[in-house]
Amino acid sequence: MMNFKVILVLFILFSSLVQADENAFDKAKSTAQQWWGETKQASSDVAQRASEKASVLGEKASENAKETGLVIWDKMKEVGVATQDNAKIGVSKIKSLLPEEECKEDSALCLIEKQ
């Protein structure tokens, strides 16, 4: 009978320890799930903010590239016009140094003069 009481007491102690371990496990599991949810939300927020910033920076870079491209295009047109004008002036000077002759169809100076 004494053995039975000892076994019963041990069984009660063992079951209470197991119950305490289950409660601790449940609490740890709940805490881990909460942390995971918070981490997931924080990561999602960071990714969203990074995406928004990248979009804004991309738009600014696109606007800057467009403005820069337009400025360069305008300058290239100015350079082209100036080059054409200087070429005409150069041709006129060369023609003034050469003896006058009739324009021939294949003459480069005549072709430039016609333009």
Side-chain angles (χ1 to χ4, degrees):
M1 184 71 160
M2 183 64 142
N3 288 339
F4 180 70
K5 288 182 183 180
V6 170
I7 292 174
L8 183 62
V9 169
L10 288 175
F11 180 73
I12 291 172
L13 286 174
F14 181 71
S15 65
S16 65
L17 288 175
V18 169
Q19 183 68 25
D21 286 345
E22 286 178 6
N23 286 340
F25 177 74
D26 289 341
K27 186 176 179 181
K29 180 181 172 185
S30 174
T31 303
Q33 287 175 337
Q34 180 183 359
W35 285 350
W36 174 250
E38 291 172 1
T39 302
K40 211 164 61 166
Q41 183 63 40
S43 298
S44 176
D45 292 346
V46 167
Q48 180 66 26
R49 284 193 301 264
S51 175
E52 290 169 0
K53 291 288 184 184
S55 177
V56 168
L57 290 176
E59 289 173 6
K60 286 182 180 178
S62 176
E63 290 172 9
N64 288 342
K66 183 178 179 182
E67 290 172 8
T68 303
L70 290 175
V71 168
I72 291 172
W73 178 251
D74 289 342
K75 293 296 180 188
M76 291 301 291
K77 288 193 293 187
E78 290 175 14
V79 167
V81 169
T83 303
Q84 182 182 13
D85 292 344
N86 286 332
K88 286 180 182 178
I89 292 169
V91 167
S92 296
K93 286 183 180 180
I94 291 171
K95 281 178 74 175
S96 69
L97 297 174
L98 296 177
E100 287 189 33
E101 61 181 66
E102 292 182 22
C103 270
K104 297 178 184 175
E105 290 295 323
D106 59 349
S107 171
L109 294 176
C110 289
L111 290 175
I112 292 174
E113 188 177 87
K114 289 179 183 178
Q115 293 178 355

Coordinates of all heavy atoms in Angstrom, one line a residue, residues 4-6 13 27 31-32 34 45 62 67 71 84 88 94 98 102 111 115:
F4 N 2.1 1.9 -3.4 CA 1.0 2.5 -4.2 C 0.9 4.0 -3.9 O 0.7 4.8 -4.8 CB -0.3 1.8 -3.9 CG -1.5 2.4 -4.7 CD1 -1.6 2.1 -6.0 CD2 -2.4 3.1 -4.1 CE1 -2.6 2.7 -6.8 CE2 -3.5 3.7 -4.8 CZ -3.6 3.4 -6.1
K5 N 1.0 4.4 -2.6 CA 0.9 5.9 -2.3 C 2.1 6.6 -2.9 O 2.0 7.7 -3.4 CB 0.9 6.0 -0.8 CG -0.4 5.6 -0.2 CD -0.4 5.9 1.3 CE -1.7 5.4 2.0 NZ -1.7 5.6 3.4
V6 N 3.3 6.0 -2.8 CA 4.5 6.6 -3.4 C 4.3 6.8 -4.9 O 4.7 7.8 -5.4 CB 5.7 5.8 -3.0 CG1 7.0 6.3 -3.8 CG2 6.0 5.8 -1.5
L13 N 3.1 14.4 -9.0 CA 4.2 15.3 -9.2 C 4.7 15.4 -10.7 O 4.9 16.4 -11.2 CB 5.4 15.0 -8.3 CG 5.3 15.3 -6.8 CD1 6.5 14.7 -6.1 CD2 5.2 16.8 -6.6
K27 N 3.3 29.2 -23.8 CA 3.6 30.6 -23.7 C 4.7 31.0 -24.6 O 4.7 32.1 -25.3 CB 4.0 30.9 -22.2 CG 4.2 32.4 -21.9 CD 4.5 32.6 -20.5 CE 4.7 34.1 -20.2 NZ 5.0 34.4 -18.8
T31 N 4.5 33.7 -27.7 CA 5.4 34.8 -27.8 C 6.2 34.8 -29.1 O 6.3 35.8 -29.8 CB 6.4 34.8 -26.6 OG1 5.7 34.8 -25.4 CG2 7.4 35.9 -26.7
A32 N 6.6 33.6 -29.5 CA 7.3 33.5 -30.8 C 6.4 33.8 -32.0 O 6.9 34.5 -32.9 CB 7.8 32.0 -31.0
Q34 N 3.9 35.9 -31.8 CA 3.7 37.3 -31.8 C 4.9 38.1 -32.4 O 4.8 39.0 -33.2 CB 3.5 37.8 -30.3 CG 3.3 39.3 -30.2 CD 3.1 39.7 -28.7 OE1 3.2 38.8 -27.8 NE2 3.0 41.0 -28.5
D45 N 6.6 46.8 -43.9 CA 6.6 48.2 -43.9 C 7.9 48.8 -44.5 O 7.9 49.7 -45.3 CB 6.4 48.7 -42.5 CG 5.0 48.5 -41.9 OD1 4.1 48.1 -42.7 OD2 4.8 48.6 -40.7
S62 N 14.4 60.3 -64.0 CA 13.9 60.4 -65.3 C 13.6 61.8 -65.7 O 13.9 62.2 -66.9 CB 12.5 59.6 -65.3 OG 11.9 59.7 -66.6
E67 N 15.3 66.5 -68.9 CA 15.8 67.9 -69.0 C 17.2 68.0 -69.6 O 17.4 68.9 -70.4 CB 15.7 68.5 -67.6 CG 14.3 68.7 -67.1 CD 14.2 69.2 -65.6 OE1 15.3 69.5 -65.1 OE2 13.1 69.3 -65.1
V71 N 18.4 69.9 -73.1 CA 19.4 70.9 -73.1 C 20.5 70.5 -74.1 O 21.0 71.3 -74.9 CB 20.0 71.1 -71.7 CG1 21.3 72.0 -71.7 CG2 19.0 71.8 -70.8
Q84 N 27.5 74.9 -89.7 CA 27.1 75.2 -91.1 C 27.4 76.6 -91.5 O 27.9 76.8 -92.7 CB 25.6 74.9 -91.2 CG 25.0 75.1 -92.6 CD 23.5 74.9 -92.6 OE1 22.9 74.8 -91.6 NE2 22.9 74.8 -93.8
K88 N 30.0 77.7 -94.6 CA 29.7 78.6 -95.7 C 30.7 79.8 -95.8 O 31.1 80.1 -96.9 CB 28.2 79.1 -95.5 CG 27.2 78.0 -95.8 CD 25.8 78.6 -95.6 CE 24.8 77.5 -95.8 NZ 23.4 78.0 -95.6
I94 N 37.4 80.7 -99.6 CA 38.2 79.9 -100.5 C 37.8 80.3 -102.0 O 38.7 80.4 -102.8 CB 37.9 78.3 -100.3 CG1 38.5 77.9 -99.0 CG2 38.5 77.5 -101.5 CD1 38.2 76.5 -98.6
L98 N 40.2 81.8 -105.3 CA 40.4 81.1 -106.6 C 40.0 82.0 -107.7 O 39.1 82.9 -107.6 CB 39.5 79.8 -106.5 CG 39.9 78.8 -105.5 CD1 38.9 77.6 -105.5 CD2 41.3 78.2 -105.7
E102 N 33.3 79.2 -114.2 CA 31.9 78.8 -114.2 C 31.7 77.5 -113.3 O 32.6 76.7 -113.2 CB 31.4 78.4 -115.6 CG 31.3 79.6 -116.5 CD 30.8 79.2 -117.9 OE1 30.2 78.2 -118.0 OE2 31.1 80.0 -118.8
L111 N 28.2 73.0 -105.4 CA 27.1 72.3 -104.7 C 26.9 73.0 -103.3 O 25.7 73.2 -102.9 CB 27.5 70.9 -104.4 CG 27.6 70.0 -105.7 CD1 28.1 68.6 -105.3 CD2 26.2 69.9 -106.3
Q115 N 23.2 75.3 -101.9 CA 22.5 75.0 -100.7 C 22.3 76.2 -99.9 O 21.5 76.7 -99.3 CB 23.2 74.0 -99.8 CG 23.3 72.6 -100.4 CD 24.1 71.6 -99.6 OE1 24.7 72.0 -98.5 NE2 24.2 70.4 -100.0

